[in-house]
Amino acid sequence: MYCHHCGKKRTDDAVYCSQCGRLLAADENETASVSSESTLVVLETAASIETRRAGTIESVSVPAGVHRGKRKGSALVWLLPVILFLVTGASLFGYYIYQAGMNDRVIKLQIEAKISALDGKYEAAQAKLKEAAEARPAFASVQKDAEIVAMAIELSRSVAAAGKQLEENKLEDAELTIEKAKNELHGHSEPIFLSMKEQLRGYAVKLSVLKLTAELADLNTVDELGAKLSLASQLDGEEAAAVKEQIIVKIVEISIKEADALLKKKSYSDALAVTGKGLLYAKDEAKLINLEKKITDAQAAYEQDEQRRLEHAMQQAAAEDLKNQTAAVEVVQIESTLDEFGDLNIEGELRNAATRPIYSISVKLIVRDAEGNEVGSGTAEATPDYVEPGESIRFTSTVYGVYVQNTTVVVDHATWYLD
């Protein structure tokens, strides 16, 4: 028997053709029922076989009602490229998944490093960034973060050194360290440096406080202390507040001491100037306020006494002036003798009762009898001509033609000039 598709001889028990792979007919009746077109199918099938052998895959026209056979070679031709595509795609996809996972790991390490750095754990951050750099050497962000962390490590050591120097009271060394760290931080606004900057600000305040405290022992004037108080007022923190209070206490002590000394000297204006300056720095200091009131009261009382003294002095001066003008010459004694010619010879002593020297003194004399009647008069010039206050002078005079016994001589008035 033969295949009714390709004409290949077949075995009796074969179900499929060994040549074309088509289903074989069950019996001779089926073979006989094949139309006369079978010869064309065989020829076309043979032609298609030759074409496949030449390596070309083309469509073969098959008349309607006729089924084409399937071959194992044709399936392999389509299957190998598909398998190759799938294997390549799987490899590429696996490589992509690997690289994506590696990128995620690097990013995670970066994030963890930043968290550690912000917590001040710089060495831990550096270790994570090193691991990330080994995984992705070409990541510029990783390299930049590593540089910043390395800088933070160095600066943290400088900040720690400054703190230790302050604790050991090495103020000059601490000042140099702080300034150097500030200069290195200048221009860096990364969050990792914020805590470091804040710490440096605190150390700078502490340095200023320690310097001010050390200088206080040598300051003994309110002006010097006031200048330091202005500097301390620019600082923040409990230590700065403590040193400000210390300066104010010393200003009050010095002000009270100086003002008390001036008060004892009755230099009230100067004393009030001292308390006023002290109150500029210690406005609510009760001791200074009370002292200022004490000085003000003392000044008012003194001024009242001075006014009274002035008025008294003016009265005394007026009285003295009146006396100098009207009673500068005081009669100490007068003696008179009547001679045989009836003339009365007179001698007398005067004193300068003025408060100033007088000169050119002359007196007018009146002679009265026992009944008080004037019986004669005359004038006399006193000597010496210039007399200091309290000194005595003398005069002599003769009144002619008195002829009366028991007479009394009085100084009617005197004239003089004040020096």
Side-chain angles (χ1 to χ4, degrees), residues 73-302:
S74 175
L76 290 175
V77 169
W78 285 102
L79 187 58
L80 287 176
V82 172
I83 292 173
L84 180 61
F85 173 78
L86 291 176
V87 171
T88 303
S91 299
L92 291 174
F93 182 73
Y95 181 75
Y96 169 78
I97 294 299
Y98 170 77
Q99 295 297 331
M102 184 64 70
N103 290 343
D104 290 342
R105 174 171 173 73
V106 170
I107 293 172
K108 182 181 178 182
L109 286 171
Q110 273 189 287
I111 294 173
E112 291 175 352
K114 289 180 179 179
I115 294 173
S116 297
L118 291 175
D119 287 341
K121 302 173 182 178
Y122 304 118
E123 286 76 10
Q126 190 177 49
K128 292 180 183 298
L129 289 173
K130 181 180 180 181
E131 184 179 350
E134 290 173 352
R136 284 289 183 264
F139 272 25
S141 62
V142 174
Q143 299 297 332
K144 184 63 177 177
D145 287 349
E147 293 174 3
I148 292 174
V149 169
M151 180 180 178
I153 291 174
E154 292 299 320
L155 284 173
S156 66
R157 292 170 182 167
S158 297
V159 173
K164 184 177 180 181
Q165 289 164 348
L166 287 174
E167 291 177 359
E168 296 173 352
N169 208 31
K170 298 178 180 178
L171 303 186
E172 293 183 0
D173 294 340
E175 186 171 12
L176 292 174
T177 304
I178 291 171
E179 287 301 317
K180 182 180 178 182
K182 282 184 176 179
N183 292 334
E184 291 177 356
L185 278 171
H186 182 70
H188 290 278
S189 58
E190 294 86 355
I192 190 176
F193 298 118
L194 292 180
S195 61
M196 221 172 292
K197 289 181 178 179
E198 187 65 26
Q199 196 171 6
L200 279 177
R201 278 193 289 269
Y203 284 159
V205 171
K206 186 174 182 179
L207 173 64
S208 299
V209 168
L210 291 175
K211 289 174 67 177
L212 285 172
T213 303
E215 294 169 356
L216 285 182
D218 299 326
L219 302 180
N220 298 306
T221 67
V222 173
D223 290 333
E224 291 173 338
L225 290 167
K228 297 303 179 183
L229 182 62
S230 298
L231 293 176
S233 298
Q234 299 173 10
L235 305 176
D236 298 323
E238 294 181 359
E239 292 180 340
V243 77
K244 283 191 288 186
E245 184 63 26
Q246 187 177 354
I247 293 173
I248 290 173
V249 168
K250 193 164 186 178
I251 286 175
V252 172
E253 291 175 352
I254 292 175
S255 298
I256 291 175
K257 182 178 179 181
E258 292 181 357
D260 276 335
L262 292 169
L263 177 60
K264 292 177 181 178
K265 296 178 181 179
K266 293 184 173 58
S267 299
Y268 303 109
S269 297
D270 292 340
L272 288 174
V274 170
T275 56
K277 184 182 291 185
L279 286 170
L280 288 176
Y281 303 109
K283 296 180 180 179
D284 300 325
E285 181 56 45
K287 292 181 180 179
L288 274 179
I289 294 173
N290 294 334
L291 179 58
E292 187 176 55
K293 186 178 184 304
K294 179 180 177 181
I295 296 170
T296 302
D297 294 343
Q299 184 181 35
Y302 176 80

